[in-house]
């Protein structure tokens, strides 16, 4: 694990990015960004949403095929109610105003997490956005909302247990592939690169099953300051990693 290097190698076109590259991002530091500027935490979330728009655009331009953003965790409900209400209003605005633009740019939007725990109107907007963009063949954008990696695994295990109890599955046949396929997030490929902003160095219950061999990059910059150029630099750093997946050193 390393921090983002001071050097800024340039990636000029999407051709420089490996095929089927999946980048996952923990968008951290909105509140601290605002507090350092004497602003309410909600303003940090506002500018964090603006940063997300820029990074989604840059990901598509760089040839990233899958981008997964940790938007709201199952633990975030512990935050003060006014802050949660503001986050939900930002989410409503995104789903109402940005989906048309995503669709025009052939972005396919998916949401993972327990949407039953979200406000009913937001769950409806999510379903409509997914249906509208389902056939798009550009960037696969996944947003994790009311999501927790442990809950994801528990749901998958529960599904397998039900299959065993019904006599449709032999417990001896359960392997990594069957567990992965049972997860609610099963359609999501394993990330190649995880980026977390704000300098924190932990995964915070995000994609726990999928991160087994993911390269990780911890960036000091707060999320509202993260830009398309920062994503380019992260991809350049990733291009120098030697991914062995538990095997021998390749060079």
């Amino acid at each position: 694990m390393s921090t983002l290097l001071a050097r800024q190698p340039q990636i000029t076109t999407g051709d420089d990015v490996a095929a089927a590259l999946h980048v996952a991002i923990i968008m951290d530091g909105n509140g601290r960004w605002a507090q350092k500027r004497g602003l309410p935490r909600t303003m940090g979330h506002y500018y964090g949403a603006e940063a997300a728009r820029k990074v989604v655009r840059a990901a598509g331009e760089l040839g990233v095929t899958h981008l997964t953003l940790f938007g709201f965790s199952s633990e975030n409900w512990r935050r003060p109610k006014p802050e949660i209400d503001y986050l939900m209003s930002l989410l409503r605005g995104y789903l109402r105003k940005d989906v048309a633009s995503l669709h025009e740019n052939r972005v396919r939007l998916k949401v993972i997490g327990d949407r039953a725990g979200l406000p009913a109107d937001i769950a409806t907007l999510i379903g409509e956005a997914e249906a509208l963009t389902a056939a798009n063949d550009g960037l696969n954008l996944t947003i994790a909302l009311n999501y927790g990696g442990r809950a994801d695994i528990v749901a998958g295990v529960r599904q397998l247990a039900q299959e065993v109890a019904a006599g449709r599955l032999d417990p001896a046949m359960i392997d990594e592939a069957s567990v992965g396929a049972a997860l609610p997030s099963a359609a999501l490929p394993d990330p190649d690169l995880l980026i977390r902003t704000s300098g924190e160095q932990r995964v915070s219950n995000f994609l726990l099953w999928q991160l087994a061999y993911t390269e990780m990059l911890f960036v000091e910059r707060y999320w509202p300051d993260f830009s398309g150029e920062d994503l380019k630099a992260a991809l350049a750093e990733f291009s120098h990693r030697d991914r062995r997946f538990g095997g021998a050193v390749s060079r």
Side-chain angles (χ1 to χ4, degrees):
M1 301 179 182
S2 77
T3 56
L4 187 63
L5 301 183
R7 59 185 173 84
Q8 298 282 308
Q10 292 299 305
I11 294 180
T12 56
T13 71
D15 295 336
D16 296 304
V17 181
L21 179 64
H22 180 186
V23 178
I25 304 179
I26 300 175
M27 306 179 292
D28 193 24
N30 290 345
R32 280 167 285 167
W33 179 92
Q35 288 171 341
K36 284 188 66 173
R37 289 160 175 77
L39 301 170
R41 287 175 58 86
T42 52
M43 291 304 296
H45 296 309
Y46 173 84
Y47 284 102
E50 291 298 307
R53 290 183 174 95
K54 295 173 184 177
V55 168
V56 169
R57 186 180 309 113
E61 293 170 351
L62 287 164
V64 173
T65 59
H66 293 76
L67 177 66
T68 300
L69 304 178
F70 202 2
F72 190 85
S73 80
S74 51
E75 289 80 22
N76 286 157
W77 296 109
R78 301 171 187 168
R79 295 185 177 187
K81 187 176 184 302
E83 184 175 353
I84 292 173
D85 289 344
Y86 185 79
L87 284 166
M88 292 298 116
S89 70
L90 277 179
L91 178 56
R92 285 187 185 92
Y94 186 85
L95 291 168
R96 287 171 177 159
K97 299 175 183 177
D98 288 55
V99 171
S101 176
L102 294 176
H103 185 46
E104 289 174 5
N105 287 281
R106 306 191 346 260
V107 175
R108 184 186 184 198
L109 178 65
K110 294 288 291 182
V111 171
I112 58 173
D114 179 16
R115 65 185 69 182
L118 296 170
D121 65 318
I122 289 179
T124 297
L125 289 169
I126 290 170
E128 293 171 350
E130 289 179 329
L132 176 66
T133 63
N136 289 345
D137 59 358
L139 174 69
N140 290 276
L141 173 62
T142 302
I143 303 178
L145 298 172
N146 196 24
Y147 173 87
R150 287 182 173 179
D152 198 38
I153 294 170
V154 168
V157 171
R158 185 179 294 119
Q159 175 63 34
L160 291 174
Q162 291 171 349
E163 293 295 306
V164 170
R168 294 188 292 267
L169 178 64
D170 180 353
M173 300 303 293
I174 297 175
D175 56 12
E176 290 187 12
S178 58
V179 173
L183 300 179
S185 59
L188 195 65
D190 293 351
D192 299 289
L193 173 65
L194 171 72
I195 301 169
R196 180 172 186 147
T197 57
S198 87
E200 301 292 346
Q201 299 188 17
R202 55 181 179 272
V203 298
S204 295
N205 200 21
F206 185 43
L207 300 178
L208 297 181
W209 179 267
Q210 294 90 343
L211 290 178
Y213 287 103
T214 298
E215 295 293 317
M216 298 185 184
L217 195 63
F218 299 108
V219 182
E220 295 297 327
R221 195 182 302 276
Y222 292 132
W223 176 248
D225 289 330
F226 195 85
S227 67
E229 289 300 313
D230 292 307
L231 181 61
K232 286 183 183 180
L235 293 175
E237 161 70 8
F238 171 78
S239 72
H240 297 299
R241 300 287 181 92
D242 185 12
R243 304 188 73 195
R244 299 189 295 274
F245 301 94
V249 176
S250 62
R251 66 172 185 265

